[in-house]
Amino acid sequence: MSWDNELLERAHKIIELYPQKRSALGPLLYLAQEKDGFISDDSIVEISNLVDITEVQVKSVSSFYSMYKEEQTGTYLLSVCKSISCEINDSRSVINSVKEFTGLENYETDQDKLFTFEEVECIGACGGAPAVQVNYETVEGLTPEKTIEMCEWLKNDKPEIIVADQLQNKFGGTKSFDWAIEDNTGSAYTVPGFQNIGTAKEKDN
Amino acid sequence: MKETLLLTKHMRDFPENSHNIDVYEKNNGYSALKKVLKEDNPENVINEIKDSNIRGRGGAGFPTGVKWGFLAEDEDRYLVINGDESEPGTFKDRILLERDPHQLIEGVIITCFASNIKKAFIYIRGEYAKPARRVQEAVEQAYEKGYLGDNILGTNLSLDIVVHLGAGAYICGEETALLNSLEGKRGEPRLKPPYFPAVMGLYNKPTLVNNVETISSVPWIINNSGKEYAKLGVEGSTGTRIFSLSGHVRTPGNFEIEMGKSFGEFVDTFGNGIKDDKKVKAYIPGGASAPWFTGDQLDIKMTIDDVANAGSMLGSGAVVVMDEDTNLVYAAKSIVSFFAHESCGQCTPCREGTTWLEMILERIASGRGRLSDISLLVDVCDNISPGLSWPPKMTTICPLGPSAVSPITSLLDNFSDELMKMLPTKIPIAQ
Ligand SMILES: Cc1cc2nc3c(=O)[nH]c(=O)nc-3n(C[C@H](O)[C@H](O)[C@H](O)COP(=O)(O)O)c2cc1C
Ligand code: SF4
Ligand code: FES
């Protein structure tokens, strides 16, 4: 499906931020992923028109970056860090508990399109290893038990907006540093919640 | 040993709202900007930075004042802040973005004033959604208060800042890859020469690329003078640095200290020693790219030059401590896998070599290794970085390829017994 006017309007606003249209390519790919949960062929056509490059050029860029997904993601993208600080703090057991709960292997999505699971490289939460992101919202200091609890909560409560602070308060442990300032904004898609691309959503208390 | 708080002072003093512009302003925030606007002498600003002797905090440690001096003349010039922070073990820019975004923005405005730049980009890794939100919010507040946009604080200075999100590629931390990424291209490093950012950078225009921590230091230097800054730390490594401490320490975290103390003292004082009172087997002094030191080398001083002379690098300032029970073959495999995954694929030695190293280590780690795997590892490493020397010789466009060699030489030089232990005692029969 091609993009509706609302999405196109957001796209044009993003393009205006940059001296050259093509710089908006990355942010526009996030819009595509927000729309379909992955980068669809239709969106590739749409974006190639918006920034005046060929479809192959768009595809060549989208396939380079790991946050643009080629297959449809579930509602919740579970990204478990496996880099060095997490590895030596037993990220394997967190990975195993996610696998066990969801029945998924790396890069798989379940039939109900609820969870996508991936093992990722360092997410800058090494002081709170092992660390996980849900739709790019960080939780630090997880244990296998807390990880399962978190997955259960996502499955049962189906929160519309994922907020790092809420995840951390409910399920997290040791943090990389004192987060201090409570935040209510997060993401509702498998893309980072960020104002410039219109994906930052505020949660009602 | 105590922390010296320059960059992390404001966030410590006002934990509840250090990110808010009113709180920042009330506590001397934007005073450095007002000072330089009043003096109206860009050359002075560059001289203060030169006097401070600050070296870039992104990993390469290049003197910032010298870099600013290289920026070629042009009507369009850009500043790009490198907030791609993805080196495993590193989480210091995250705290600066999240907890004190105005300090960075003030640094950006002063830098642009000094170098006559009218457009700046803050490139933040895609996984840092929350830090990026905080920075964007702060940018909007700064526009409202007249610190950004046209005629900043009534002067004829104009500046726009765009906060840009990356999309999950470590290599975009390399400055020329970052510029490609910002141009909407694959994040592949460019050849230097000719693509030195200061001459042919973003959109082929002269561009300054600086790390978040580097530019966050600018307001303090302007307020207190470069000479005052240079009094902190030691010669060649002036000022403070935020070290990210992680691994098997009791209390991990970011700690801002003057450079020059030993790693052992640092780990004891701020990490409160090792969990369960274990011993240190090895530690990484500067992020996953850096060769490891052993537990017997904890007296090495935390300066750029001391660490380099001892055969590694202070890099991104990430200290990862591994206790006596750590399986170092697994640790090396984790790091090699990282580089294999993050190789951009342009150079054959890096693309193929890192993949091979990963597969060989995987085989050894799973107990199916062979004695010949050791020489195979050395051979592949030698193709990526001939001679396995430090600093590494390069056969590739950027240093990512040679970085994958670091954990292997670390194993071979100091922990070859661990590798040997993982080899099966019986010779497997080919099937
Ligand atoms: C593979 C690779 C990854 C890098 N990642 C980062 C990074 O995440 N952040 C950063 O500031 N610099 C990174 N750098 C260093 C940059 O290329 C560049 O030197 C730095 O941003 C310059 O800023 P500085 O002088 O303020 O340190 C990386 C370099 C390489 C080769
Ligand atoms: S060394 Fe590796 S990451 Fe760097 S340019 Fe070559 S292939 Fe890309
Ligand atoms: S190593 Fe896992 S967050 Fe950095």
Side-chain angles (χ1 to χ4, degrees):
Chain A
M1 273 228 314
S2 59
W3 290 15
D4 62 17
N5 281 341
E6 191 255 309
L7 204 57
L8 285 173
E9 214 168 283
R10 280 167 63 193
H12 285 297
K13 259 204 200 134
I14 292 172
I15 293 170
E16 274 169 27
L17 292 173
Y18 298 94
Q20 295 189 9
K21 278 184 177 180
R22 185 168 176 165
S23 284
L25 181 51
L28 296 185
L29 285 165
Y30 278 133
L31 295 195
Q33 182 148 318
E34 172 196 318
K35 178 174 175 291
D36 297 315
F38 72 115
I39 311 297
S40 71
D41 288 348
D42 287 338
S43 287
I44 287 177
V45 175
E46 199 80 55
I47 292 173
S48 80
N49 289 329
L50 280 165
V51 302
D52 288 338
I53 57 177
T54 67
E55 292 154 29
V56 173
Q57 284 173 312
V58 177
K59 182 86 185 168
S60 144
V61 172
S62 68
S63 62
F64 183 86
Y65 297 92
S66 62
M67 289 170 69
Y68 305 128
K69 307 295 184 192
E70 301 192 349
E71 312 254 358
Q72 198 179 348
T73 45
T75 308
Y76 304 117
L77 174 64
L78 306 171
S79 314
V80 187
C81 176
K82 65 178 174 77
S83 288
I84 185 68
S85 303
C86 291
E87 151 76 27
I88 63 174
N89 276 302
D90 205 18
S91 57
R92 276 153 205 258
S93 67
V94 171
I95 288 173
N96 286 338
S97 58
V98 172
K99 282 183 171 174
E100 208 173 288
F101 185 88
T102 60
L104 298 171
E105 288 299 317
N106 200 5
Y107 300 128
E108 283 184 349
T109 301
D110 59 42
Q111 296 286 346
D112 304 333
K113 300 266 184 286
L114 184 65
F115 291 118
T116 299
F117 161 62
E118 60 176 1
E119 293 171 27
V120 296
E121 300 297 349
C122 180
I123 48 180
C126 330
V132 173
Q133 289 197 318
V134 181
N135 293 356
Y136 302 111
E137 296 293 301
T138 303
V139 210
E140 307 185 307
L142 277 165
T143 61
E145 298 74 35
K146 285 284 176 191
T147 308
I148 302 251
E149 264 181 52
M150 183 174 80
C151 293
E152 265 167 358
W153 176 73
L154 290 169
K155 188 173 176 174
N156 297 331
D157 274 43
K158 296 206 174 52
E160 207 176 308
I161 300 162
I162 303 291
V163 175
D165 291 78
Q166 189 183 17
L167 290 181
Q168 183 66 30
N169 291 341
K170 275 187 191 294
F171 310 107
T174 309
K175 285 185 282 197
S176 291
F177 51 82
D178 183 5
W179 293 12
I181 309 147
E182 279 264 347
D183 235 318
N184 227 8
T185 312
S187 172
Y189 317 95
T190 56
V191 283
F194 181 49
Q195 300 95 323
N196 284 8
I197 50 176
T199 49
K201 303 276 176 208
E202 202 165 331
K203 200 178 179 76
D204 309 324
N205 263 337
Chain B
M1 184 179 190
K2 276 198 346 213
E3 285 189 273
T4 305
L5 304 182
L6 313 186
L7 274 59
T8 54
K9 181 170 190 313
H10 179 65
M11 67 176 81
R12 294 279 181 91
D13 288 349
F14 301 92
E16 299 307 320
N17 44 21
S18 57
H19 67 311
N20 184 291
I21 194 162
D22 295 327
V23 178
Y24 186 70
E25 279 179 320
K26 258 189 223 128
N27 294 283
N28 220 19
Y30 289 107
S31 59
L33 173 65
K34 286 173 186 154
K35 187 172 163 188
V36 302
L37 289 180
K38 200 162 148 217
E39 284 172 11
D40 198 22
N41 187 339
E43 202 60 38
N44 275 355
V45 176
I46 299 182
N47 286 336
E48 290 296 338
I49 300 301
K50 282 187 176 153
D51 286 348
S52 77
N53 275 329
I54 184 173
R55 291 165 70 173
R57 304 299 195 229
F62 195 82
T64 305
V66 176
K67 184 187 273 193
W68 290 13
F70 281 159
L71 192 66
E73 286 303 327
D74 202 301
E75 215 170 294
D76 294 320
R77 316 206 273 188
Y78 299 103
L79 169 67
V80 178
I81 300 299
N82 190 340
D84 195 55
E85 185 167 78
S86 317
E87 175 91 9
T90 320
F91 48 97
K92 49 128 187 136
D93 293 339
R94 181 173 152 218
I95 198 173
L96 292 170
L97 297 167
E98 226 171 279
R99 301 277 305 274
D100 205 348
H102 285 291
Q103 176 173 249
L104 172 65
I105 293 168
E106 185 176 5
V108 168
I109 306 170
I110 295 169
T111 307
C112 290
F113 164 80
S115 297
N116 191 21
I117 292 170
K118 301 200 166 44
K119 184 118 189 161
F121 295 89
I122 303 179
Y123 184 107
I124 300 177
R125 67 178 298 192
E127 295 88 342
Y128 276 8
K130 182 176 160 185
R133 288 196 292 271
R134 286 265 168 84
V135 174
Q136 178 59 27
E137 194 183 289
V139 164
E140 285 165 21
Q141 290 174 344
Y143 268 105
E144 274 167 34
K145 293 247 179 166
Y147 294 114
L148 288 173
D150 292 335
N151 303 111
I152 292 171
L153 300 179
T155 65
N156 51 20
L157 179 69
S158 303
L159 174 66
D160 283 309
I161 296 183
V162 174
V163 184
H164 183 93
L165 269 195
Y170 162 73
I171 190 58
C172 292
E174 194 284 331
E175 55 189 8
T176 59
L178 187 146
L179 296 176
N180 271 337
S181 179
L182 196 49
E183 289 180 8
K185 297 174 182 157
R186 293 163 71 89
E188 289 164 347
R190 301 169 175 174
L191 266 176
K192 295 191 261 189
Y195 292 103
F196 290 108
V199 186
M200 296 171 85
L202 187 65
Y203 312 124
N204 256 335
K205 296 289 182 184
T207 304
L208 278 181
V209 183
N210 271 127
N211 172 260
V212 169
E213 187 184 347
T214 312
I215 297 302
S216 293
S217 310
V218 169
W220 194 95
I221 295 171
I222 296 302
N223 273 329
N224 298 274
S225 88
K227 289 209 171 64
E228 280 302 307
Y229 189 87
K231 283 186 195 157
L232 303 171
V234 295
E235 205 188 325
S237 294
T238 58
T240 62
R241 220 173 143 156
I242 305 174
F243 287 94
S244 301
L245 177 59
S246 69
H248 291 137
V249 291
R250 284 203 181 84
T251 51
N254 286 314
F255 304 98
E256 182 175 9
I257 57 169
E258 290 175 51
M259 287 182 267
K261 298 286 169 15
S262 76
F263 282 97
E265 204 182 337
F266 175 69
V267 168
D268 284 342
T269 311
F270 300 112
N272 282 301
I274 311 304
K275 283 184 203 160
D276 303 324
D277 286 321
K278 287 184 189 159
K279 290 198 184 66
V280 178
K281 189 193 272 182
Y283 71 97
I284 311 177
S289 305
W292 311 346
F293 291 140
T294 67
D296 296 333
Q297 291 176 290
L298 281 161
D299 54 350
I300 294 172
K301 298 259 182 303
M302 301 173 84
T303 74
I304 298 176
D305 298 328
D306 284 280
V307 176
N309 292 338
S312 186
M313 62 173 182
L314 206 51
S316 62
V319 182
V320 183
V321 181
M322 300 183 265
D323 73 20
E324 55 192 297
D325 293 335
T326 312
N327 182 323
L328 293 183
V329 177
Y330 286 175
K333 185 168 81 76
S334 168
I335 295 175
V336 168
S337 299
F338 170 80
F339 290 115
H341 185 255
E342 300 301 333
S343 167
C344 82
Q346 285 189 108
C347 323
T348 310
C350 171
R351 182 187 63 241
E352 304 299 323
T354 53
T355 310
W356 275 104
L357 292 178
E358 185 185 18
M359 288 194 292
I360 300 164
L361 279 179
E362 174 74 48
R363 180 159 71 189
I364 297 173
S366 66
R368 290 176 292 115
R370 353 182 143 168
L371 195 54
S372 59
D373 282 347
I374 310 284
S375 48
L376 197 54
L377 282 174
V378 173
D379 192 38
V380 176
C381 287
D382 191 62
N383 277 325
I384 301 175
S385 176
L388 308 186
S389 55
W390 187 264
K393 292 207 176 58
M394 306 253 294
T395 57
T396 51
I397 296 173
C398 90
L400 185 145
S403 295
V405 171
S406 299
I408 302 203
T409 49
S410 301
L411 268 184
L412 292 172
D413 288 349
N414 292 308
F415 303 100
S416 56
D417 54 322
E418 295 228 1
L419 254 178
M420 299 308 280
K421 258 195 310 207
M422 298 288 286
L423 296 176
T425 44
K426 293 179 192 138
I427 299 164
I429 301 167
Q431 289 179 346

